[in-house]
Each structure stands twice: as structure tokens, then as C-alpha cells.
Amino acid sequence: MTDGVTRPGDHPLARVVLADDQPLIRAALRMVITDAPDLELVGEAGTGSEAVLLAESLRPDVVVMDIRMPGMDGIEATRLITAGPSGAAVVVLTTFDDDDYVYGALRAGASGFLVKDMALDDILAAIRVVAAGDALIAPSVTRRLIEAFSGRPDPEPEPAAAPAPAPAPRALEGITGREQEVLTLVARGLSNTEIAAELVISVATVKAYVTRLLTKLDARDRVQLVIIAYDAGLASSSR
């Protein structure tokens, strides 16, 4: 666990902590973050517990979090950080072998979900998006998430004499038909530009719909909209 040193005269837009047990991954991310004039790397961690401690002591804007780490994993660390007083947002990094962890990380409060084989500049751009208060999920991850979790039964059902009925989809009250269309496309991993093309409306109109959905559904960010769409049965692997 190492603490970064603030460079005199620098006024970074966002303070970042890296949490990954692979030194090579940290080195690559360290390189692009330290070269960015609007970001400051303030700490590095090799375990989830170290990441939680750094988030509490350094109060970064963003924690870039690996899922698989020794001891406390990235999901539990994300849950503790997002529920804690630091105010840090978490960007989770995964590989395609980590599909079973995706939904848990989103439930834990991650504001971004990226894959490690993305270009480093794209990961850097995602850190900026999350630092600015938005959320981002790599479209490929969103689509794999739909395939993996649509209609998936609870992996740990409570013992009962007879099988419990499947939980009813969450009812979405107070949203219009068009807003539901936008929510469905958000859950499919489409960007605002792609949604605009699909519905033949402007990008500005899409942004307005997303903003209204965030307010009406009491969602923190775009990631929570994806979760709500799953709960409502709007995400389907057949789409």
C-alpha cells in the first residue's frame, strides 16, 4: 500500500486510488493517470482491505477497483467504500472470466464497470466520467450481464418444504412508455447516441429522458438504472 505525493502547483480535477493485486496492471494504469494533467494518483493498494483504508484516509474522488484480490475482494471493498464517509466513487475492472461477479459489484454500488482489455485511454476517459458524477458500464459487459443474469434463479434459496415462487418483477410506476423504452435501451448497454439513433430522437432528448428516469426511479446513476431494469424484467437475453 503506497501513498502518492501531491505535486506542488498541481490542481487535479480528480484524486484517484488504484486497487489491484497485479503490479503490471497497476503500473500501466499508474502511467496513464500520472501523465493526465487533470488526474492525481494519490494511492495504490494490493488488496480490498487496503483500498478501504486508503479511501477512508485519503478521500479520493475515484477508486479503480479490481474484483479478484486476496483477502477481501473488490465487491466487499466496493460495498464498504460506497457506504462509508469518503464519498469516493468506484470503477470496477474485470476480465471476461468475471461474469459471476458483475451483478454483485453493481449491487455493491460501483459507478463504473470496465474490462481490462479496453484501451488505456478508454479506461482513463471512464475515470473522468465517473469523477464528474456520471456512471459508465462497458457495453460488452452490459450485454454479457444480460445473458448471464436474465432469469437466473437465486443461487442461495432459503430452504422450504416446497419451491418458492419466483419473485415478481419490480413494478415501475410513474414512468411513460417512452421513458420505459429508453430505460430498456440503457439496460442493453446502448450509449445516448445509440439510443437516439434507435428511437430517432436527438441526443439532448435522450439525456433529458435519462435525467427524468434518475429522478423518478430514485436512482443514483446510470448503473442503478440498469439494475432497476433487470428487476423490472426489461432486460432480456433475447434482445
Side-chain angles (χ1 to χ4, degrees), residues 185-207:
L185 296 175
V186 167
R188 286 172 51 193
L190 273 64
S191 67
N192 286 347
T193 301
E194 291 169 329
I195 293 172
E198 180 92 5
L199 299 179
V200 197
I201 57 179
S202 70
V203 173
T205 301
V206 175
K207 290 180 179 178

Side-chain angles (χ1 to χ4, degrees), residues 1-4 6 12-19 33 38-45 48-65 77-78 80-82 84-91 111 127 130-133:
M1 179 170 62
T2 60
D3 293 350
T6 303
L13 174 66
R15 291 159 50 84
V16 181
V17 163
L18 292 179
I33 291 173
D38 57 341
L39 300 176
E40 179 186 17
L41 180 62
V42 297
E44 296 183 25
S49 57
E50 289 179 353
V52 173
L53 291 175
L54 284 182
E56 292 175 350
S57 62
L58 300 177
R59 300 296 177 98
D61 298 290
V62 179
V63 178
V64 180
M65 182 80 70
T78 297
L80 292 174
I81 290 171
T82 58
S86 72
V90 177
V91 176
S111 292
I127 293 173
V130 172

Side-chain angles (χ1 to χ4, degrees), residues 3-239:
D3 293 350
V5 177
T6 303
R7 297 181 294 275
D10 282 354
H11 298 284
L13 174 66
R15 291 159 50 84
V16 181
V17 163
L18 292 179
D20 197 304
D21 65 331
Q22 300 180 47
L24 288 178
I25 296 292
R26 291 207 310 271
L29 292 172
R30 182 191 308 126
M31 177 183 66
V32 295
I33 291 173
T34 55
D35 284 347
D38 57 341
L39 300 176
E40 179 186 17
L41 180 62
V42 297
E44 296 183 25
T47 68
S49 57
E50 289 179 353
V52 173
L53 291 175
L54 284 182
E56 292 175 350
S57 62
L58 300 177
R59 300 296 177 98
D61 298 290
V62 179
V63 178
V64 180
M65 182 80 70
D66 185 25
I67 284 185
R68 291 180 174 174
M69 291 184 287
M72 181 188 296
D73 66 16
I75 294 177
E76 180 61 20
T78 297
R79 183 178 295 109
L80 292 174
I81 290 171
T82 58
S86 72
V90 177
V91 176
V92 173
L93 286 176
T94 183
T95 66
F96 283 131
D97 292 330
D98 286 330
D99 285 345
D100 285 344
Y101 296 93
V102 176
Y103 199 56
L106 297 182
R107 285 289 195 189
S111 292
F113 213 103
L114 310 174
V115 291
K116 288 184 178 179
D117 61 357
M118 290 175 67
L120 289 174
D121 285 347
D122 291 338
I123 293 176
L124 195 65
I127 293 173
R128 292 189 175 104
V129 167
V130 172
D134 207 341
L136 184 148
I137 311 177
S140 59
V141 172
T142 303
R143 289 165 185 143
R144 290 174 65 88
L145 181 64
I146 291 170
E147 293 173 1
F149 291 98
S150 256
R152 181 173 178 171
D154 187 342
E156 296 180 1
E158 299 232 348
R170 168 177 172 171
L172 297 180
E173 298 179 355
I175 70 170
T176 66
R178 179 63 98 179
E179 287 167 348
Q180 181 167 312
E181 286 183 288
V182 171
L183 179 60
T184 300
L185 296 175
V186 167
R188 286 172 51 193
L190 273 64
S191 67
N192 286 347
T193 301
E194 291 169 329
I195 293 172
E198 180 92 5
L199 299 179
V200 197
I201 57 179
S202 70
V203 173
T205 301
V206 175
K207 290 180 179 178
Y209 278 125
V210 171
T211 298
R212 288 203 292 271
L213 285 166
L214 291 170
T215 300
K216 289 184 176 183
L217 299 176
D218 194 25
R220 181 187 66 245
D221 52 36
R222 199 179 185 96
V223 174
Q224 285 199 333
L225 288 181
V226 173
I227 294 173
I228 289 169
Y230 287 129
D231 290 343
L234 298 181
S236 169
S237 58
S238 64
R239 295 295 300 267

